[in-house]
Amino acid sequence: MKLIRRALGALALACLFAAGLRVRGKGGTPPQHGGWKQLDLPADPT
Amino acid sequence: MTPPADRSVVVVGSGIVGSRVQRLLGGTLPVTVRPWSDLAEPSFSLADHAGPGRVIVLATGGPHSPVAARLATTGASVVSVSDGLGDVSELLELDDAFTAADATLVVGAAMAPGLSGLLAQYLVTRLHQSDEIHVAVHATAGPQCARQHHRALAGRAVGWHDGIWIERPAGSGRELAWFPEPVGARDCYRAEIPDPLLLHRTHPDVGRISARLSATRRDRLTARLPMLRPPHPEGGVGALRIEVRGADQYGARQVAIAGVAEFVGAAAGAMAAVMAEAIHLGEFPAGVVVTSDPTLDTNALLDRVRARGVRLQEFTGVPQHV
């Protein structure tokens, strides 16, 4: 019983910590798309 | 090589790639299609289908080297879409035979190898000095291509690393490669594919050359087993990513990246068609031709590939998120 209480306590602490990071963190959203554009081939000199 | 008088093309294979080559060339050149079983049969007479000036597009799984060796004796030029490491290695050894026959053998005329070489050469010309070339490929064309993908993840991957050839187990060396949309980011692994061999042939001064295939956990887990189910008729949208690292004229480090997101069969078909057309125009020398060869008119070839519906793209950097 003591073990379960401790495990639940640790879990609750971890959840609190993660929630804090989630709400207060400043990491922002990582880029979701790469920056691709059409290839510019040099004009044929002829 | 002077433009051949006989302007006919024989496409061997009528799968995903073969049928696209036939469709793309059909409007400009007389094209006939033969099944692979004909040419692979040693008793088959080549005289009716191959000869000086003719171009034979081998658009099947292969191996192509035994058939190409026989075709060299007829004086016909050959375009091979083979992507097997051993097969490509043997095709490269046919240089003398094709030179003697005043014919051309294009080795690697698919998406990778093929378009990968053209894009690598294009990027190399953008930098003052090139130190590394890295190729990443996602997805496959038809069933034979899918089987080759399966084999490639179970073999020995070759790479050129600081002046020596290295061999690593295929499926190792995970790297996250960012392909053009809609493919996006994929985990890629070393694989037994011939791009390093071909790129080193034309760029011996580049210090590091590697090639990777995208794969899922299931692909890697089952790579050394027989294919558990028949491959799909055609893969979805595939992709290609070429990264060249080097320096500008002031010594500052530079990275140039180009790519394609396209059905692999469509890109491979366009490449093979452009190669066959270039042979007919007399643009290629006799002997073995590799698409990353700096003496070829890379921009013109890329332009023709693009004209056949393949959208070529370059990476301009990670955009700032909002």
Side-chain angles (χ1 to χ4, degrees), chain A residues 27-44, chain B residues 122 178-181 259 299 303 306 312-319 321:
Chain A
T29 310
Q32 301 295 306
H33 299 279
W36 292 88
K37 66 162 189 149
Q38 190 166 327
L39 195 72
D40 285 329
L41 290 173
D44 187 350
Chain B
Y122 168 78
W178 208 287
F179 295 96
E181 298 298 333
N299 288 345
D303 204 31
R306 185 156 66 185
L312 310 174
Q313 302 184 62
E314 63 182 320
F315 189 65
T316 57
V318 177
H321 57 267

Side-chain angles (χ1 to χ4, degrees), chain B residues 47-66:
Chain B
D48 296 338
H49 304 286
R54 285 208 172 163
V55 177
I56 317 292
V57 180
L58 300 178
T60 63
H64 291 173
S65 51

Side-chain angles (χ1 to χ4, degrees), chain B residues 57-280:
Chain B
V57 180
L58 300 178
T60 63
H64 291 173
S65 51
V67 172
R70 290 177 67 209
L71 289 168
T73 62
T74 70
S77 292
V78 175
V79 175
S80 165
V81 303
S82 178
D83 58 355
L85 181 62
D87 194 27
V88 165
S89 180
E90 287 171 12
L91 284 167
L92 292 175
E93 291 170 7
L94 296 176
D95 189 29
D96 290 344
F98 275 85
T99 305
D102 193 28
T104 302
L105 168 62
V106 180
V107 179
M111 187 167 94
L115 186 53
S116 55
L118 276 183
L119 287 173
Q121 172 55 24
Y122 168 78
L123 294 175
V124 164
T125 59
R126 299 259 307 266
L127 302 181
H128 183 68
Q129 178 198 336
S130 301
D131 305 325
E132 301 182 33
I133 303 176
H134 302 288
V135 177
V137 186
H138 169 67
T140 60
Q144 290 177 329
C145 193
R147 289 189 188 95
Q148 175 59 28
H149 179 277
H150 183 78
R151 282 192 296 268
L153 284 170
R156 301 287 296 177
V158 295
W160 181 253
H161 193 89
D162 295 342
I164 54 167
W165 284 109
I166 56 168
E167 273 195 18
R168 296 284 184 269
S172 64
R174 180 170 67 180
E175 268 190 16
L176 184 68
W178 208 287
F179 295 96
E181 298 298 333
V183 174
R186 301 280 171 166
D187 278 328
C188 295
Y189 304 85
R190 291 183 187 277
E192 193 176 290
I193 47 180
D195 283 90
L197 200 65
L198 298 172
L199 289 167
H200 177 67
R201 181 184 173 95
T202 53
H203 297 87
D205 297 334
V206 172
R208 294 183 181 186
I209 304 174
S210 73
R212 283 175 166 78
L213 279 181
S214 75
T216 61
R217 286 192 182 94
R218 191 186 65 193
D219 292 336
R220 293 172 63 218
L221 187 70
T222 61
R224 284 165 177 81
L225 304 172
M227 289 190 86
L228 299 179
R229 58 181 179 183
H232 41 65
E234 180 169 13
V237 176
L240 175 66
R241 182 183 191 274
I242 315 295
E243 179 171 339
V244 177
R245 301 175 190 162
D248 64 14
Q249 66 267 40
Y250 306 109
R253 300 298 298 166
Q254 296 283 325
V255 178
I257 300 169
V260 164
E262 184 61 74
F263 281 92
V264 177
M271 269 302 294
V274 166
M275 295 294 115
E277 188 185 65
I279 292 173
H280 270 304

